[in-house]
Amino acid sequence: MNFNAKEEKQKIITFIKNYYQKNNVDGVIIGISGGKDSGVVAGLFVEALGSENVIGITLPCHSIETDKNDAKLVSDYYGFPLYNFDLTSIYDTFKKELQNIGNFTEETKESDINLKPRLRMSTLYYFAALFSKIQNKTYLVAGTSNKCERYVGYFTKGGDNVHDIAPIADLTVEEVIQLGEELNVPKTVLYKAPNDGLSNQTDEDKLGVTYKAIANYIEDPDKVEEKDKKIIEKLHNNSTHKFVIPTYWRTK
């Protein structure tokens, strides 16, 4: 599929503007991770709403220090305020309290990783409500997940899948990079190997497959090698519970 970054940028900016005007909302809160996705989302919102209506939050939690530095590169370039809210002590308190339930070790590995984005999203919504009150205008929380992540379920329920508006959810990683080039996202951020900043592994290490292979599979499954196809299909099928919440509706 041909991708015209310049045209797509304008379409997404129009989408944001139209939604904000229709729903009488004003500002946006973005979790700035120091990676390409949040950098691109920040650039889109600055162009759509103006930097005065964008607030960035860094949310370190036993994180890599360079991620915070990269986040500042984004906020400095686009000219929006960036606040740092360290969740490390909150996370540590949670883990300490867990000891009252049991002495767990290896069993908590996945729970620990997923706790961090859940703490982060709760914090972003707290700041959205706080700044809505302070500024006397409504702030929404932006989602920063891309199409490849979403397809294989590489997100946390109750964490980074929670947001009010999703501007890049239908773009593959390569398309996000092309859009970032059009938006002049700082190169250090745009071309950095994607990672969650939580587990000390790259995304592709954790998934066992490249984002390029995932994008190719989405376009045409026959484009990818059989071993990659099996990994992608397994990830997607094992994540279907993340996409739709089964709800019992009474018959009338």
Side-chain angles (χ1 to χ4, degrees):
M1 182 186 295
N2 292 328
F3 181 76
N4 187 315
K6 188 172 185 177
E7 286 184 8
E8 207 65 46
K9 182 185 82 167
Q10 291 306 318
K11 287 179 181 178
I12 297 172
I13 288 169
T14 299
F15 159 74
I16 294 170
K17 286 181 174 179
N18 289 346
Y19 184 83
Y20 268 69
Q21 290 169 1
K22 181 180 178 181
N23 293 279
N24 298 310
V25 290
D26 309 281
V28 67
I29 301 289
I30 308 173
I32 307 294
S33 67
K36 63 175 66 65
D37 292 330
S38 62
V40 167
V41 169
L44 289 167
F45 274 97
V46 166
E47 292 214 17
L49 307 179
S51 59
E52 69 276 12
N53 292 307
V54 176
I55 293 175
I57 312 285
T58 54
L59 298 161
C61 187
H62 292 290
S63 303
I64 305 167
E65 185 67 24
T66 53
D67 286 347
K68 191 166 66 173
N69 298 335
D70 291 341
K72 192 171 187 308
L73 288 176
V74 173
S75 66
D76 284 349
Y77 179 78
Y78 290 116
F80 60 84
L82 182 69
Y83 299 95
N84 184 62
F85 192 85
D86 197 317
L87 292 168
T88 301
S89 63
I90 298 170
Y91 173 87
D92 289 345
T93 299
F94 187 103
K95 289 289 292 177
K96 184 178 180 181
E97 186 65 24
L98 184 65
Q99 293 174 3
N100 294 325
I101 306 297
N103 185 23
F104 306 108
T105 51
E106 283 298 310
E107 299 90 346
T108 67
K109 185 177 180 180
E110 286 301 315
S111 299
D112 291 347
I113 290 172
N114 286 310
L115 172 62
K116 295 174 183 180
R118 288 171 178 145
L119 289 174
R120 286 174 168 172
M121 195 52 63
S122 295
T123 306
L124 292 177
Y125 272 95
Y126 183 94
F127 278 112
L130 176 63
F131 281 105
S132 293
K133 190 72 173 177
I134 293 171
Q135 304 288 359
N136 196 30
K137 59 185 182 183
T138 303
Y139 281 83
L140 301 182
V141 173
T144 60
S145 292
N146 63 61
K147 188 173 187 175
C148 294
E149 291 171 330
R150 287 168 55 82
Y151 188 81
V152 294
Y154 188 59
F155 57 83
T156 296
K157 289 167 72 173
D160 44 339
N161 77 318
V162 179
H163 44 259
D164 300 313
I165 182 168
I168 63 168
D170 199 35
L171 303 185
T172 67
V173 169
E174 183 56 40
E175 290 168 343
V176 169
I177 292 172
Q178 291 180 52
L179 189 58
E181 291 169 343
E182 185 67 28
L183 289 160
N184 294 315
V185 172
K187 289 181 171 55
T188 302
V189 173
L190 189 61
Y191 302 121
K192 184 166 69 172
N195 68 83
D196 59 9
L198 304 170
S199 60
N200 297 318
Q201 290 181 294
T202 68
D203 292 354
E204 293 177 340
D205 286 341
K206 290 184 69 179
L207 291 168
V209 66
T210 66
Y211 278 128
K212 184 174 180 59
I214 296 169
N216 288 338
Y217 180 92
I218 292 170
E219 186 174 330
D220 180 1
D222 291 332
K223 281 187 173 183
V224 301
E225 295 181 10
E226 191 61 31
K227 70 177 183 63
D228 287 341
K229 186 185 295 187
K230 287 180 179 178
I231 293 171
I232 293 165
E233 289 174 350
K234 183 178 180 181
L235 289 167
H236 178 76
N237 293 335
N238 288 353
S239 301
T240 54
H241 66 95
K242 294 184 174 185
F243 304 117
V244 179
I245 297 175
T247 304
Y248 168 74
W249 299 104
R250 294 184 297 170
T251 54
K252 296 184 179 179

PDB file of all heavy atoms in Angstrom, residues 1 147 151 172 212-225 229 232-233:
ATOM      1  N   MET A   1       0.842  -1.194   0.000  1.00  0.00           N
ATOM      2  CA  MET A   1       0.000   0.000   0.000  1.00  0.00           C
ATOM      3  C   MET A   1       0.880   1.248   0.000  1.00  0.00           C
ATOM      4  O   MET A   1       1.787   1.372   0.816  1.00  0.00           O
ATOM      5  CB  MET A   1      -0.908   0.010   1.250  1.00  0.00           C
ATOM      6  CG  MET A   1      -1.860   1.194   1.306  1.00  0.00           C
ATOM      7  SD  MET A   1      -2.773   1.254   2.888  1.00  0.00           S
ATOM      8  CE  MET A   1      -3.726  -0.246   2.753  1.00  0.00           C
ATOM      9  N   LYS A 147      -0.674   0.446  14.700  1.00  0.00           N
ATOM     10  CA  LYS A 147      -1.450  -0.673  14.156  1.00  0.00           C
ATOM     11  C   LYS A 147      -0.779  -2.021  14.410  1.00  0.00           C
ATOM     12  O   LYS A 147      -1.459  -3.014  14.707  1.00  0.00           O
ATOM     13  CB  LYS A 147      -1.642  -0.456  12.652  1.00  0.00           C
ATOM     14  CG  LYS A 147      -2.595  -1.437  11.990  1.00  0.00           C
ATOM     15  CD  LYS A 147      -2.857  -1.036  10.544  1.00  0.00           C
ATOM     16  CE  LYS A 147      -3.927  -1.898   9.910  1.00  0.00           C
ATOM     17  NZ  LYS A 147      -4.249  -1.410   8.530  1.00  0.00           N
ATOM     18  N   TYR A 151      -2.452  -5.077  16.491  1.00  0.00           N
ATOM     19  CA  TYR A 151      -2.811  -6.325  15.823  1.00  0.00           C
ATOM     20  C   TYR A 151      -2.374  -7.541  16.627  1.00  0.00           C
ATOM     21  O   TYR A 151      -3.098  -8.541  16.703  1.00  0.00           O
ATOM     22  CB  TYR A 151      -2.215  -6.390  14.414  1.00  0.00           C
ATOM     23  CG  TYR A 151      -2.742  -7.586  13.652  1.00  0.00           C
ATOM     24  CD1 TYR A 151      -3.989  -7.537  13.037  1.00  0.00           C
ATOM     25  CD2 TYR A 151      -2.019  -8.773  13.581  1.00  0.00           C
ATOM     26  CE1 TYR A 151      -4.508  -8.641  12.377  1.00  0.00           C
ATOM     27  CE2 TYR A 151      -2.518  -9.884  12.927  1.00  0.00           C
ATOM     28  CZ  TYR A 151      -3.769  -9.814  12.322  1.00  0.00           C
ATOM     29  OH  TYR A 151      -4.289 -10.921  11.681  1.00  0.00           O
ATOM     30  N   THR A 172       1.033   1.555  10.531  1.00  0.00           N
ATOM     31  CA  THR A 172       2.086   0.606  10.899  1.00  0.00           C
ATOM     32  C   THR A 172       3.298   1.369  11.431  1.00  0.00           C
ATOM     33  O   THR A 172       3.376   2.594  11.314  1.00  0.00           O
ATOM     34  CB  THR A 172       2.519  -0.233   9.682  1.00  0.00           C
ATOM     35  OG1 THR A 172       3.156   0.627   8.729  1.00  0.00           O
ATOM     36  CG2 THR A 172       1.326  -0.934   9.043  1.00  0.00           C
ATOM     37  N   LYS A 212       8.190  -5.052  10.947  1.00  0.00           N
ATOM     38  CA  LYS A 212       8.067  -5.103   9.489  1.00  0.00           C
ATOM     39  C   LYS A 212       7.317  -6.357   9.065  1.00  0.00           C
ATOM     40  O   LYS A 212       6.448  -6.308   8.172  1.00  0.00           O
ATOM     41  CB  LYS A 212       9.446  -5.059   8.831  1.00  0.00           C
ATOM     42  CG  LYS A 212       9.398  -5.003   7.306  1.00  0.00           C
ATOM     43  CD  LYS A 212      10.787  -4.821   6.716  1.00  0.00           C
ATOM     44  CE  LYS A 212      10.727  -4.774   5.190  1.00  0.00           C
ATOM     45  NZ  LYS A 212       9.886  -3.676   4.697  1.00  0.00           N
ATOM     46  N   ALA A 213       7.630  -7.488   9.695  1.00  0.00           N
ATOM     47  CA  ALA A 213       6.937  -8.738   9.374  1.00  0.00           C
ATOM     48  C   ALA A 213       5.452  -8.629   9.730  1.00  0.00           C
ATOM     49  O   ALA A 213       4.583  -9.113   8.994  1.00  0.00           O
ATOM     50  CB  ALA A 213       7.582  -9.899  10.118  1.00  0.00           C
ATOM     51  N   ILE A 214       5.159  -7.987  10.856  1.00  0.00           N
ATOM     52  CA  ILE A 214       3.758  -7.819  11.260  1.00  0.00           C
ATOM     53  C   ILE A 214       3.016  -6.954  10.250  1.00  0.00           C
ATOM     54  O   ILE A 214       1.886  -7.273   9.842  1.00  0.00           O
ATOM     55  CB  ILE A 214       3.666  -7.202  12.669  1.00  0.00           C
ATOM     56  CG1 ILE A 214       4.267  -8.142  13.707  1.00  0.00           C
ATOM     57  CG2 ILE A 214       2.205  -6.888  13.023  1.00  0.00           C
ATOM     58  CD1 ILE A 214       4.459  -7.516  15.083  1.00  0.00           C
ATOM     59  N   ALA A 215       3.644  -5.855   9.817  1.00  0.00           N
ATOM     60  CA  ALA A 215       3.018  -4.974   8.824  1.00  0.00           C
ATOM     61  C   ALA A 215       2.783  -5.719   7.515  1.00  0.00           C
ATOM     62  O   ALA A 215       1.713  -5.587   6.899  1.00  0.00           O
ATOM     63  CB  ALA A 215       3.899  -3.751   8.598  1.00  0.00           C
ATOM     64  N   ASN A 216       3.770  -6.505   7.098  1.00  0.00           N
ATOM     65  CA  ASN A 216       3.618  -7.287   5.865  1.00  0.00           C
ATOM     66  C   ASN A 216       2.488  -8.300   6.002  1.00  0.00           C
ATOM     67  O   ASN A 216       1.716  -8.525   5.057  1.00  0.00           O
ATOM     68  CB  ASN A 216       4.919  -8.000   5.517  1.00  0.00           C
ATOM     69  CG  ASN A 216       5.982  -7.054   5.010  1.00  0.00           C
ATOM     70  OD1 ASN A 216       5.671  -5.956   4.538  1.00  0.00           O
ATOM     71  ND2 ASN A 216       7.243  -7.449   5.103  1.00  0.00           N
ATOM     72  N   TYR A 217       2.385  -8.925   7.168  1.00  0.00           N
ATOM     73  CA  TYR A 217       1.323  -9.911   7.397  1.00  0.00           C
ATOM     74  C   TYR A 217      -0.051  -9.254   7.314  1.00  0.00           C
ATOM     75  O   TYR A 217      -0.987  -9.818   6.732  1.00  0.00           O
ATOM     76  CB  TYR A 217       1.511 -10.575   8.764  1.00  0.00           C
ATOM     77  CG  TYR A 217       0.445 -11.601   9.065  1.00  0.00           C
ATOM     78  CD1 TYR A 217       0.642 -12.945   8.740  1.00  0.00           C
ATOM     79  CD2 TYR A 217      -0.761 -11.240   9.659  1.00  0.00           C
ATOM     80  CE1 TYR A 217      -0.340 -13.893   8.991  1.00  0.00           C
ATOM     81  CE2 TYR A 217      -1.753 -12.185   9.907  1.00  0.00           C
ATOM     82  CZ  TYR A 217      -1.540 -13.500   9.577  1.00  0.00           C
ATOM     83  OH  TYR A 217      -2.523 -14.438   9.814  1.00  0.00           O
ATOM     84  N   ILE A 218      -0.190  -8.075   7.920  1.00  0.00           N
ATOM     85  CA  ILE A 218      -1.477  -7.369   7.895  1.00  0.00           C
ATOM     86  C   ILE A 218      -1.904  -7.085   6.459  1.00  0.00           C
ATOM     87  O   ILE A 218      -3.072  -7.211   6.097  1.00  0.00           O
ATOM     88  CB  ILE A 218      -1.388  -6.054   8.703  1.00  0.00           C
ATOM     89  CG1 ILE A 218      -1.215  -6.366  10.195  1.00  0.00           C
ATOM     90  CG2 ILE A 218      -2.635  -5.194   8.500  1.00  0.00           C
ATOM     91  CD1 ILE A 218      -0.884  -5.142  11.040  1.00  0.00           C
ATOM     92  N   GLU A 219      -0.929  -6.718   5.611  1.00  0.00           N
ATOM     93  CA  GLU A 219      -1.235  -6.411   4.207  1.00  0.00           C
ATOM     94  C   GLU A 219      -1.494  -7.684   3.406  1.00  0.00           C
ATOM     95  O   GLU A 219      -2.433  -7.753   2.609  1.00  0.00           O
ATOM     96  CB  GLU A 219      -0.076  -5.635   3.589  1.00  0.00           C
ATOM     97  CG  GLU A 219      -0.371  -5.148   2.177  1.00  0.00           C
ATOM     98  CD  GLU A 219       0.730  -4.266   1.627  1.00  0.00           C
ATOM     99  OE1 GLU A 219       1.395  -3.572   2.440  1.00  0.00           O
ATOM    100  OE2 GLU A 219       0.929  -4.262   0.401  1.00  0.00           O
ATOM    101  N   ASP A 220      -0.661  -8.710   3.633  1.00  0.00           N
ATOM    102  CA  ASP A 220      -0.800  -9.976   2.898  1.00  0.00           C
ATOM    103  C   ASP A 220      -0.027 -11.060   3.641  1.00  0.00           C
ATOM    104  O   ASP A 220       1.209 -11.056   3.623  1.00  0.00           O
ATOM    105  CB  ASP A 220      -0.264  -9.827   1.472  1.00  0.00           C
ATOM    106  CG  ASP A 220      -0.380 -11.113   0.662  1.00  0.00           C
ATOM    107  OD1 ASP A 220      -0.887 -12.125   1.198  1.00  0.00           O
ATOM    108  OD2 ASP A 220       0.049 -11.108  -0.509  1.00  0.00           O
ATOM    109  N   PRO A 221      -0.724 -11.999   4.302  1.00  0.00           N
ATOM    110  CA  PRO A 221      -0.044 -13.050   5.086  1.00  0.00           C
ATOM    111  C   PRO A 221       0.981 -13.846   4.292  1.00  0.00           C
ATOM    112  O   PRO A 221       1.947 -14.371   4.861  1.00  0.00           O
ATOM    113  CB  PRO A 221      -1.199 -13.944   5.545  1.00  0.00           C
ATOM    114  CG  PRO A 221      -2.389 -13.036   5.573  1.00  0.00           C
ATOM    115  CD  PRO A 221      -2.179 -12.084   4.430  1.00  0.00           C
ATOM    116  N   ASP A 222       0.795 -13.934   2.975  1.00  0.00           N
ATOM    117  CA  ASP A 222       1.730 -14.705   2.161  1.00  0.00           C
ATOM    118  C   ASP A 222       3.067 -14.006   1.971  1.00  0.00           C
ATOM    119  O   ASP A 222       4.009 -14.591   1.417  1.00  0.00           O
ATOM    120  CB  ASP A 222       1.108 -14.991   0.786  1.00  0.00           C
ATOM    121  CG  ASP A 222      -0.059 -15.965   0.891  1.00  0.00           C
ATOM    122  OD1 ASP A 222      -0.047 -16.786   1.827  1.00  0.00           O
ATOM    123  OD2 ASP A 222      -0.975 -15.890   0.050  1.00  0.00           O
ATOM    124  N   LYS A 223       3.164 -12.759   2.433  1.00  0.00           N
ATOM    125  CA  LYS A 223       4.410 -12.005   2.287  1.00  0.00           C
ATOM    126  C   LYS A 223       5.464 -12.389   3.327  1.00  0.00           C
ATOM    127  O   LYS A 223       6.616 -11.997   3.203  1.00  0.00           O
ATOM    128  CB  LYS A 223       4.135 -10.504   2.414  1.00  0.00           C
ATOM    129  CG  LYS A 223       3.567  -9.852   1.172  1.00  0.00           C
ATOM    130  CD  LYS A 223       3.504  -8.350   1.373  1.00  0.00           C
ATOM    131  CE  LYS A 223       3.114  -7.639   0.092  1.00  0.00           C
ATOM    132  NZ  LYS A 223       3.124  -6.168   0.273  1.00  0.00           N
ATOM    133  N   VAL A 224       5.056 -13.113   4.371  1.00  0.00           N
ATOM    134  CA  VAL A 224       5.992 -13.386   5.462  1.00  0.00           C
ATOM    135  C   VAL A 224       6.353 -14.866   5.526  1.00  0.00           C
ATOM    136  O   VAL A 224       5.597 -15.722   5.060  1.00  0.00           O
ATOM    137  CB  VAL A 224       5.423 -12.927   6.836  1.00  0.00           C
ATOM    138  CG1 VAL A 224       5.118 -11.448   6.812  1.00  0.00           C
ATOM    139  CG2 VAL A 224       4.177 -13.713   7.201  1.00  0.00           C
ATOM    140  N   GLU A 225       7.504 -15.132   6.109  1.00  0.00           N
ATOM    141  CA  GLU A 225       7.957 -16.508   6.266  1.00  0.00           C
ATOM    142  C   GLU A 225       7.019 -17.275   7.195  1.00  0.00           C
ATOM    143  O   GLU A 225       6.382 -16.697   8.066  1.00  0.00           O
ATOM    144  CB  GLU A 225       9.375 -16.533   6.837  1.00  0.00           C
ATOM    145  CG  GLU A 225      10.431 -15.941   5.918  1.00  0.00           C
ATOM    146  CD  GLU A 225      11.817 -16.011   6.532  1.00  0.00           C
ATOM    147  OE1 GLU A 225      11.973 -16.678   7.580  1.00  0.00           O
ATOM    148  OE2 GLU A 225      12.739 -15.407   5.959  1.00  0.00           O
ATOM    149  N   LYS A 229       4.828 -16.080  10.409  1.00  0.00           N
ATOM    150  CA  LYS A 229       3.373 -16.158  10.288  1.00  0.00           C
ATOM    151  C   LYS A 229       2.772 -16.858  11.508  1.00  0.00           C
ATOM    152  O   LYS A 229       1.770 -16.412  12.074  1.00  0.00           O
ATOM    153  CB  LYS A 229       2.991 -16.906   9.010  1.00  0.00           C
ATOM    154  CG  LYS A 229       1.494 -16.911   8.717  1.00  0.00           C
ATOM    155  CD  LYS A 229       1.153 -17.773   7.516  1.00  0.00           C
ATOM    156  CE  LYS A 229       1.747 -17.218   6.247  1.00  0.00           C
ATOM    157  NZ  LYS A 229       1.264 -17.982   5.050  1.00  0.00           N
ATOM    158  N   ILE A 232       2.956 -14.529  14.594  1.00  0.00           N
ATOM    159  CA  ILE A 232       1.992 -13.425  14.493  1.00  0.00           C
ATOM    160  C   ILE A 232       0.573 -13.921  14.741  1.00  0.00           C
ATOM    161  O   ILE A 232      -0.197 -13.295  15.482  1.00  0.00           O
ATOM    162  CB  ILE A 232       2.101 -12.741  13.116  1.00  0.00           C
ATOM    163  CG1 ILE A 232       3.455 -12.039  12.990  1.00  0.00           C
ATOM    164  CG2 ILE A 232       0.966 -11.737  12.914  1.00  0.00           C
ATOM    165  CD1 ILE A 232       3.820 -11.635  11.571  1.00  0.00           C
ATOM    166  N   GLU A 233       0.230 -15.042  14.120  1.00  0.00           N
ATOM    167  CA  GLU A 233      -1.125 -15.586  14.288  1.00  0.00           C
ATOM    168  C   GLU A 233      -1.378 -16.007  15.730  1.00  0.00           C
ATOM    169  O   GLU A 233      -2.470 -15.794  16.269  1.00  0.00           O
ATOM    170  CB  GLU A 233      -1.334 -16.759  13.329  1.00  0.00           C
ATOM    171  CG  GLU A 233      -1.446 -16.307  11.879  1.00  0.00           C
ATOM    172  CD  GLU A 233      -1.518 -17.461  10.884  1.00  0.00           C
ATOM    173  OE1 GLU A 233      -1.294 -18.629  11.314  1.00  0.00           O
ATOM    174  OE2 GLU A 233      -1.784 -17.201   9.699  1.00  0.00           O
TER     175      GLU A 233
END
